[in-house]
Amino acid sequence: MPGLPIERLPESSRVWIFGASTALNDDQSARLLGVVDEFLAGWSAHGTQLDGARELLEGRFLIVAVDPGANPSGCSIDRLFATLQPLERELSISLLDSGRIFFRDGSGAIHSVDRAAFRELARSGEISGSTPVFDTTIERLADLRSNHLERRASDSWHARAFTIAEHEPAVRQTTERAR
């Protein structure tokens, strides 16, 4: 368990969201959270302890948050990324690939695809404005708490970055192509 529950951090806390390329099983989740907890226990910037917390959502999204008064430095943030890097190999997942797009299909399954594949799914109409997408670019805990992590594609940056039609996607095809 982390030293500080994420619920106790203020709305203005800085967050990083790391989406796993595949859903984590119980062993992978335990290993990831154990390593992150150990890192957070010693996380500091210029000799000052940082008050950080973590959470794993949907068995897929690692949230790391830090109290805004702590003022993490670039080097301390780099150490967080360096801590996660070997876990990618160990757990056979991608966590640090910012080019991955996450969306939920009609059956509720979460998929992870690269930008080119997402663009093709949007172009073909298999992804529509009503498709739930995950915004891993959120930077403030307030946005996470306001349910901005998962929202309709038409209400997210995805609609601007990819030409997304408003019609309903063909769920069966989306599920088959995303795998």
Side-chain angles (χ1 to χ4, degrees):
M1 203 52 201
L4 180 66
I6 203 165
E7 296 82 22
R8 293 194 45 212
L9 288 176
E11 298 278 304
S12 57
S13 296
R14 171 75 164 91
V15 297
W16 292 267
I17 301 173
F18 303 96
S21 54
T22 59
L24 302 175
N25 64 34
D26 290 343
D27 291 338
Q28 290 172 312
S29 296
R31 175 67 179 144
L32 174 65
L33 294 175
V35 168
V36 171
D37 288 346
E38 186 177 318
F39 171 80
L40 292 175
W43 198 14
S44 65
H46 305 293
T48 302
Q49 177 68 31
L50 299 175
D51 290 329
R54 57 78 178 157
E55 189 169 330
L56 185 63
L57 301 176
E58 303 269 353
R60 195 85 182 234
F61 301 100
L62 172 65
I63 312 298
V64 176
V66 66
D67 187 295
N71 198 23
S73 65
C75 291
S76 64
I77 295 166
D78 287 348
R79 285 195 303 276
L80 169 61
F81 281 74
T83 298
L84 296 176
Q85 207 166 25
L87 283 172
E88 288 185 304
R89 289 184 296 279
E90 179 184 332
L91 302 176
S92 299
I93 59 168
S94 173
L95 276 172
L96 302 174
D97 181 357
S98 61
R100 299 210 64 80
I101 305 289
F102 298 87
F103 66 95
R104 191 182 299 274
D105 70 19
S107 71
I110 297 173
H111 299 276
S112 168
V113 296
D114 63 28
R115 289 177 182 265
F118 189 83
R119 182 173 285 111
E120 179 56 30
L121 290 168
R123 188 194 63 70
S124 70
E126 295 178 50
I127 297 283
S128 76
S130 63
T131 302
V133 295
F134 294 86
D135 185 356
T136 58
T137 67
I138 290 173
E139 295 183 348
R140 298 285 167 231
L141 194 53
D143 291 328
L144 187 66
R145 290 177 176 159
S146 297
N147 297 319
H148 288 134
L149 176 61
E150 181 178 3
R151 52 189 161 164
R152 292 170 37 99
S154 62
D155 298 332
S156 180
W157 64 265
H158 299 78
R160 292 183 305 277
F162 306 95
T163 306
I164 297 178
E166 273 299 316
H167 68 280
E168 291 298 317
V171 173
R172 185 185 58 76
Q173 292 174 354
T174 300
T175 303
E176 290 172 7
R177 291 189 75 189
R179 289 196 174 146

